[in-house]
Amino acid sequence: MHDLRRQALESGKTVSRKAQSRQTSRNTSRANSAPNSRGPSRTASRAGSDDEENGNLSDGTSWSVNSIDEMLAVEDTEQTFAAWQADLADRIEEIIDRKRSSVQGRETTLAAYVRILTAQYAEEEIRGKDAELVAAFLKSIKAETSEKETILALKALAMTLITSPSDVIYDTAASSLKRTISDSASIPTKTAAIHTLGTCTFFGGASDDEILENMSYLLEIISSDGHFISAPDDADTVTAAIEEWGFLATLIEDISEDTEDAMDAFVEQLSSSFLSVQIAAGENIALLYEKSYTALEDDEILSDHSDDDLPLSDPDDAPAGPKMVKRYTAYRRTDQLLHILSRLASLSSRKLSKKDKKHMHTSFADILNSVENPTCGPRYQNAINHETGKRYGSRMVVRIHRDGVMKIDQWWKLHRLEGLRRVLQGGFVAHYEKNAVVFESLPIMITNDRSTAKERH
């Protein structure tokens, strides 16, 4: 056991040839199955606010962020359309034309570019310039002249992809990103590159084989506690790898062959001394248990399955709703896992602040409940609503502006939400409303406080 455990605790705008071969299964997985993680932090992967602990996630992000993220905070959202368009055009020209540029100048330009793309949906403004922009970002990433410029270039690459996905950028950028993850002397740079690799794999045209290859790569980082990439026992890089593994796992419809090794790694990380690592590992465990159940096929008969293969009955299920059936065993020692999760859900430690302790208990109570009954999502409450006679069910919601409510009732939805918000931060709502790529990655019905449902088309 390494020191890490001993220390203080979908748009479809462009489709590649290889992407076409898997478009049907991938679309099904993205919309109905398993998509999902969280941003780098020196303490915890995401700080749980009181609203979040109660199941409410506001449209402003409360994710923990580092100094560069704070610098990139969305500030000027009231900027006029013509003003930000002109500003962005100038920044694009400066990024592409690197001649006589200084490190400080590139840092300023990249920061402004990321800030604009975060606050505004600018697909039309960068259309046709993607290749030149990506080439410029990769020059900054490869040169690694300063840590700040490198991290900003990584963020700029991620924002460009989420604004205008491409079927070729993965092939262009993947090797450079992995080289940075392995060879950079900067831990924050490694962490940012891991997150950008996840975004690039998700939105950059990677094939299913390439997705699985990168998940194996991330699992090596996790299993070795960062030693695999010369970041021994570093919580940030390990947390980032766990988060991006979960985010990419949501793209894979059948992950049964890869579940055993992944579960072994995540269960081991539950013993980490770092809360961010523990919670990220626990959320991936919940996702894998959820993915071990799928809907009963039209040609299947429910009575052909044993009671052990059926989830507990749920009064929330509509009579015509899909019946879920266990397809494989997610972990061979569920009894041992339940004991570990139960302990974490009630652990009392003086090393944790009151806020972190509450976050830990809430998170692992959710994870424990989902391992016991994999069809129950985050913030699931078994208590009966006396007015309806039904269980309250999953009570995690994202509030969109004043009246909109997005229900996060499955773990793949939480992983997708976290993955998107790591990149978009405070610009999540703006992109969710205007960016088809973002919406199709998390196509959830939005209701208002008067319970009137409306679904975006």
Side-chain angles (χ1 to χ4, degrees), residues 102-123:
S102 65
V103 174
Q104 185 176 5
R106 290 194 297 272
E107 291 172 354
T108 301
T109 297
L110 287 167
Y113 176 86
V114 174
R115 190 182 296 114
I116 294 169
L117 256 65
T118 301
Q120 312 289 346
Y121 176 51
E123 191 275 333

Side-chain angles (χ1 to χ4, degrees), residues 6-66:
R6 295 199 295 265
Q7 296 174 9
L9 207 26
E10 299 155 35
S11 165
K13 288 182 182 176
T14 55
V15 183
S16 66
R17 288 186 296 274
K18 57 189 174 184
Q20 289 173 354
S21 66
R22 61 184 169 79
Q23 183 175 10
T24 301
S25 62
R26 183 170 180 175
N27 286 347
T28 301
S29 173
R30 288 188 176 187
N32 304 319
S33 165
N36 308 286
S37 205
R38 238 173 5 251
S41 165
R42 307 309 297 178
T43 52
S45 56
R46 68 180 159 97
S49 67
D50 290 339
D51 280 345
E52 183 179 339
E53 299 300 347
N54 292 327
N56 297 318
L57 300 175
S58 68
D59 57 358
T61 181
S62 61
W63 264 238
S64 303
V65 292
N66 59 25

Side-chain angles (χ1 to χ4, degrees), residues 197-236:
L197 178 64
T199 303
C200 187
T201 305
F202 198 104
F203 295 104
S207 67
D208 277 352
D209 288 343
E210 287 165 333
I211 294 170
L212 290 169
E213 178 185 336
N214 283 341
M215 289 171 65
S216 296
Y217 174 75
L218 294 169
L219 200 62
E220 287 278 7
I221 298 173
I222 298 162
S223 301
S224 68
D225 290 336
H227 285 73
F228 181 65
I229 56 169
S230 302
D233 307 317
D234 179 72
D236 285 353

Side-chain angles (χ1 to χ4, degrees), residues 403-406 445-456:
D403 297 323
V405 174
M406 179 195 302
M445 182 175 291
I446 298 176
T447 62
N448 62 27
D449 287 340
R450 298 175 182 176
S451 299
T452 301
K454 60 179 179 179
E455 187 169 10
R456 288 180 46 187

Side-chain angles (χ1 to χ4, degrees), residues 263 266-267 270 278 281-283 285-286 289 334-347 360-361 363-372:
M263 282 294 302
F266 299 142
V267 170
L270 293 177
Q278 291 178 302
E283 290 182 348
I285 287 170
Y289 268 82
T334 295
D335 55 341
Q336 182 184 69
L337 175 59
L338 290 173
H339 176 74
I340 296 171
L341 295 175
S342 179
R343 179 177 59 83
L344 291 172
S346 58
L347 183 67
M360 180 182 191
H361 291 171
S363 297
F364 281 105
D366 283 351
I367 295 161
L368 172 63
N369 192 39
S370 292
V371 169
E372 290 178 322

Side-chain angles (χ1 to χ4, degrees), residues 382-438:
N382 289 304
I384 302 295
N385 183 328
H386 294 295
E387 293 183 2
T388 65
K390 296 182 178 181
R391 295 177 187 170
Y392 283 104
S394 292
R395 304 192 73 181
M396 176 177 282
V397 297
V398 177
R399 298 201 173 274
I400 305 295
H401 297 314
R402 183 172 299 176
D403 297 323
V405 174
M406 179 195 302
K407 191 170 184 179
I408 307 297
D409 54 1
Q410 291 176 281
W411 286 99
W412 74 260
K413 295 179 183 179
L414 179 59
H415 279 269
R416 288 272 177 101
L417 173 67
E418 290 177 334
L420 291 168
R421 285 179 63 162
R422 273 195 305 276
V423 182
L424 297 169
Q425 298 182 43
F428 170 76
V429 171
H431 278 264
Y432 194 80
E433 291 179 330
K434 300 176 183 178
N435 188 341
V437 174
V438 173

Side-chain angles (χ1 to χ4, degrees), residues 349-366:
S349 173
R350 294 181 179 179
K351 296 178 181 178
L352 294 176
S353 67
K354 182 178 180 180
K355 185 177 183 179
D356 284 346
K357 192 181 299 182
K358 181 179 179 182
H359 180 41
M360 180 182 191
H361 291 171
T362 302
S363 297
F364 281 105
D366 283 351

